Amino acid sequence: MVAFDKCETRPAHIDAILNGLDRYNPETTTVFQDYIQQQCEDRSFDCYANLALLKLYQFNPHLLQPDTVTNVLAKALTVFPSPAFSLCLALLPTNTQPFPATSEAQAASQTSDFVESVQKLARLSTLLESAQYTQFWSTLNSDDLYADLTADVAGFEELVRIRIAVEVGKTFRSITADSLEQWLDVRGRDALGKFVADVCGWKVEGDVVTVPTNKENEARSEVKSERVGVDMFGRVIRRGFEQAA
């Protein structure tokens, strides 16, 4: 799980802004925007800084840059199942939400390219959060707009693929190679074998991928015991000998 307010690669000047009053200064938006670009390039992720920028956009709507916002959302997809995407989405204007509440918001959502972009990314988030991995990849590949929205995020597909593998590893001890190929969008048994061996440390044995035991997928029996003393029922026993009123 990605830490909400911690980032080991956060530059000192960004940390100083986040811990001072300048985080509310509209002039710092350009600094945060440059930092978003840096995250896209070096594959880092700083949720706290990104949320601070979205908050500045919320206070200063005229400063909002659609491309920066979609980059923030695309980066948040690469760290699922953390709540980063939902937190970012909650700071955006109401008319950008996947289910506009008013007729005015619905009308705006039909005429804005920015809103369409946000809602498409929200669709990808929903598919990842609900573990519909095959549909995630088919949706991602179904429209060139998705490619445009994720183009600035270096290694987007690889980062998402790794996160999916992490979630699969928490659930399964073994899985068919065919299913894993679809979930990871890795075509060919050789490519799958290389990925699971180099990235995950798993093994492909025939048509089955074996996942080593870990604290998440290990079957453990729990034996719970409770100590119940007579003194705990003292009041009940005493009431049994009391005379009825």
Side-chain angles (χ1 to χ4, degrees):
M1 189 69 69
V2 176
F4 172 74
D5 59 348
K6 302 293 183 181
C7 179
E8 295 181 358
T9 59
R10 180 186 297 161
H13 70 284
I14 297 293
D15 197 56
I17 292 174
L18 290 174
N19 290 288
L21 294 178
D22 275 343
R23 67 175 298 170
Y24 302 106
N25 184 348
E27 295 180 0
T28 61
T29 55
T30 55
V31 178
F32 283 123
Q33 285 164 180
D34 291 341
Y35 186 38
I36 294 296
Q37 186 60 39
Q38 177 184 330
Q39 293 176 54
C40 289
E41 293 172 356
D42 63 17
R43 304 192 183 191
S44 62
F45 183 75
D46 192 334
C47 185
Y48 201 41
N50 297 351
L51 291 173
L53 174 60
L54 296 181
K55 195 67 177 179
L56 283 172
Y57 285 159
Q58 195 177 54
F59 291 149
N60 308 275
H62 63 287
L63 296 177
L64 187 147
Q65 290 193 357
D67 288 346
T68 300
V69 173
T70 54
N71 281 345
V72 169
L73 294 177
K75 282 294 298 181
L77 288 175
T78 66
V79 294
F80 93 96
S82 82
F85 190 93
S86 296
L87 292 171
C88 292
L89 189 65
L91 291 177
L92 300 186
T94 55
N95 67 298
T96 65
Q97 303 304 311
F99 304 103
T102 65
S103 58
E104 291 81 3
Q106 291 176 353
S109 68
Q110 296 173 0
T111 58
S112 170
D113 291 339
F114 172 56
V115 172
E116 180 185 5
S117 298
V118 171
Q119 295 186 2
K120 281 186 173 293
L121 291 171
R123 172 60 176 164
L124 292 181
S125 176
T126 298
L127 293 173
L128 287 174
E129 293 294 339
S130 57
Q132 300 182 64
Y133 303 135
T134 301
Q135 191 170 352
F136 165 82
W137 292 112
S138 63
T139 301
L140 181 65
N141 297 324
S142 67
D143 191 335
D144 289 340
L145 179 56
Y146 285 113
D148 294 338
L149 293 173
T150 59
D152 290 341
V153 181
F156 174 81
E157 293 187 3
E158 180 184 353
L159 292 171
V160 172
R161 191 171 287 118
I162 291 172
R163 295 306 309 166
I164 292 175
V166 170
E167 294 307 300
V168 170
K170 293 178 180 178
T171 309
F172 294 88
R173 294 285 301 279
S174 64
I175 182 173
T176 64
D178 290 340
S179 295
L180 194 58
E181 282 183 12
Q182 295 179 29
W183 291 357
L184 298 178
D185 195 38
V186 175
R187 304 304 175 187
R189 199 55 53 83
D190 291 341
L192 178 67
K194 179 175 177 56
F195 178 85
V196 300
D198 296 348
V199 178
C200 308
W202 304 345
K203 294 181 179 180
V204 179
E205 301 173 341
D207 294 328
V208 176
V209 178
T210 303
V211 181
T213 302
N214 57 63
K215 65 179 182 179
E216 300 290 343
N217 68 9
E218 182 181 10
R220 298 186 301 270
S221 60
E222 286 191 19
V223 178
K224 294 184 178 180
S225 60
E226 295 183 4
R227 181 182 177 277
V228 181
V230 175
D231 56 314
M232 298 175 65
F233 294 94
R235 187 175 180 181
V236 176
I237 296 172
R238 186 169 62 252
R239 289 290 296 254
F241 288 97
E242 291 178 354
Q243 293 292 333

